[in-house]
Amino acid sequence: MARIKPQTLLQQSKKKKGPSRISVATTVIYGLIVAGMVLFIFATCRYWSRRSEVHMEDALSAVEHDNAFGETKKVDIPRYAVISTSKGSITVEIYKEGSPEVVEEFVDSCSKGRFKGMFFNRVIKNFVIQGGDDDSAGTTEDWTLRGKHYGQLDTSLKHEAFMLGTSKTKHDGGRFDLLITTAPIPDLNEKVNVFGRVIKGEDVVQEIEEVDTDDHYRPKTPIAIIEVTLKQKV
């Protein structure tokens, strides 16, 4: 039997220990796994990126909505109103905080010219003068029957003389009556929403108060409101 040379044994040993080949199927599987991981990472990043954009847009929309709502609710209320009458002008300071809805209605009526040509249809000496479109007896005569003879008068701010207000009855058809007290009224809060005070023209109010009236407190000589002008300064 022939003897194998040491060099030949060494070469055969190296061939047996050499690296084995990776099959094509294994390579494809690994490739698919890597590609899947890459796609998953990409999709996840894209999802969170789009979600952040949506949240940002929602936040901006909410801010814009709040700003728009705030601008809608914000009403530029003037500080003063000048009531021009056939007897002279009466300047009134408007109380914005007291009855905001009533003040807004008053401002709206002024802007639409609803007071032009309105008459003082009730004048009660030492009590109140009332301007309006409604010719019914209403508030003023009711006050005369119930409140004029009270022994003790409330002297709080809203019960003083020369206060501007409107009756609490519903103003149908855009009507808005104006009342100016000429003396303290005990139950003013029950009947009137007070939203201002006369600061100039008290003499005009007193002159209107002194006119002759009939049995229903209607002036025998018409006294008209020419217009009501809103101002920020006087």
Side-chain angles (χ1 to χ4, degrees), residues 108-135:
D108 182 64
S109 296
C110 291
S111 64
K112 294 179 179 178
R114 289 175 178 166
F115 298 115
K116 290 183 179 180
M118 181 183 289
F119 291 96
F120 284 96
N121 52 7
R122 292 291 183 279
V123 174
I124 306 175
K125 188 176 293 186
N126 298 322
F127 205 59
V128 68
I129 61 175
Q130 178 188 33
D133 297 324
D134 189 1
D135 196 41

Side-chain angles (χ1 to χ4, degrees), residues 180-233:
I180 300 177
T181 61
T182 60
I185 298 178
D187 59 350
L188 186 60
N189 286 337
E190 296 180 14
K191 295 292 182 181
V192 174
N193 286 314
V194 173
F195 63 94
R197 175 204 287 273
V198 176
I199 60 171
K200 185 178 180 181
E202 293 92 339
D203 56 332
V204 176
V205 175
Q206 292 172 335
E207 186 176 350
I208 295 174
E209 181 189 23
E210 294 295 329
V211 300
D212 292 332
T213 61
D214 61 17
D215 294 338
H216 297 286
Y217 306 101
R218 290 177 298 208
K220 293 180 178 179
T221 302
I223 304 170
I225 295 176
I226 301 171
E227 66 176 344
V228 179
T229 307
L230 301 173
K231 296 185 176 182
Q232 291 293 350
K233 296 180 180 181

Side-chain angles (χ1 to χ4, degrees), residues 13-229:
S13 176
K14 288 181 179 180
K15 288 180 180 180
K16 290 179 179 179
K17 293 181 180 181
S20 59
R21 286 187 171 183
I22 299 175
S23 66
V24 176
T26 303
T27 303
V28 171
I29 291 172
Y30 281 123
L32 291 174
I33 292 173
V34 172
M37 292 178 64
V38 171
L39 289 174
F40 175 76
I41 294 172
F42 174 77
T44 302
C45 293
R46 186 176 182 184
Y47 168 78
W48 287 107
S49 177
R50 294 188 65 181
R51 186 171 180 179
S52 298
E53 292 176 359
V54 170
H55 284 176
M56 183 63 71
E57 291 176 359
D58 290 343
L60 292 174
S61 298
V63 171
E64 291 175 358
H65 178 269
D66 291 341
N67 290 339
F69 182 76
E71 291 174 0
T72 301
K73 295 297 287 183
K74 184 180 179 181
V75 179
D76 187 15
I77 302 297
R79 293 189 60 189
Y80 305 96
V82 179
I83 305 171
S84 300
T85 76
S86 53
K87 291 287 188 180
S89 296
I90 303 168
T91 302
V92 178
E93 181 181 4
I94 299 172
Y95 296 153
K96 304 177 184 181
E97 296 80 10
S99 302
E101 293 182 358
V102 174
V103 171
E104 288 180 19
E105 188 178 354
F106 171 71
V107 171
D108 182 64
S109 296
C110 291
S111 64
K112 294 179 179 178
R114 289 175 178 166
F115 298 115
K116 290 183 179 180
M118 181 183 289
F119 291 96
F120 284 96
N121 52 7
R122 292 291 183 279
V123 174
I124 306 175
K125 188 176 293 186
N126 298 322
F127 205 59
V128 68
I129 61 175
Q130 178 188 33
D133 297 324
D134 189 1
D135 196 41
S136 61
T139 303
T140 50
E141 290 194 3
D142 182 50
W143 282 346
T144 304
L145 293 174
R146 298 191 326 106
K148 197 172 179 181
H149 305 293
Y150 281 21
Q152 294 181 348
L153 300 180
D154 189 334
T155 56
S156 62
L157 179 64
K158 287 189 176 182
H159 297 276
E160 294 180 0
F162 302 111
M163 304 303 294
L164 174 70
T166 185
S167 60
K168 289 186 176 180
T169 56
K170 186 177 181 181
H171 303 138
D172 295 324
R175 289 183 303 211
F176 191 101
D177 62 328
L178 295 176
L179 301 115
I180 300 177
T181 61
T182 60
I185 298 178
D187 59 350
L188 186 60
N189 286 337
E190 296 180 14
K191 295 292 182 181
V192 174
N193 286 314
V194 173
F195 63 94
R197 175 204 287 273
V198 176
I199 60 171
K200 185 178 180 181
E202 293 92 339
D203 56 332
V204 176
V205 175
Q206 292 172 335
E207 186 176 350
I208 295 174
E209 181 189 23
E210 294 295 329
V211 300
D212 292 332
T213 61
D214 61 17
D215 294 338
H216 297 286
Y217 306 101
R218 290 177 298 208
K220 293 180 178 179
T221 302
I223 304 170
I225 295 176
I226 301 171
E227 66 176 344
V228 179
T229 307

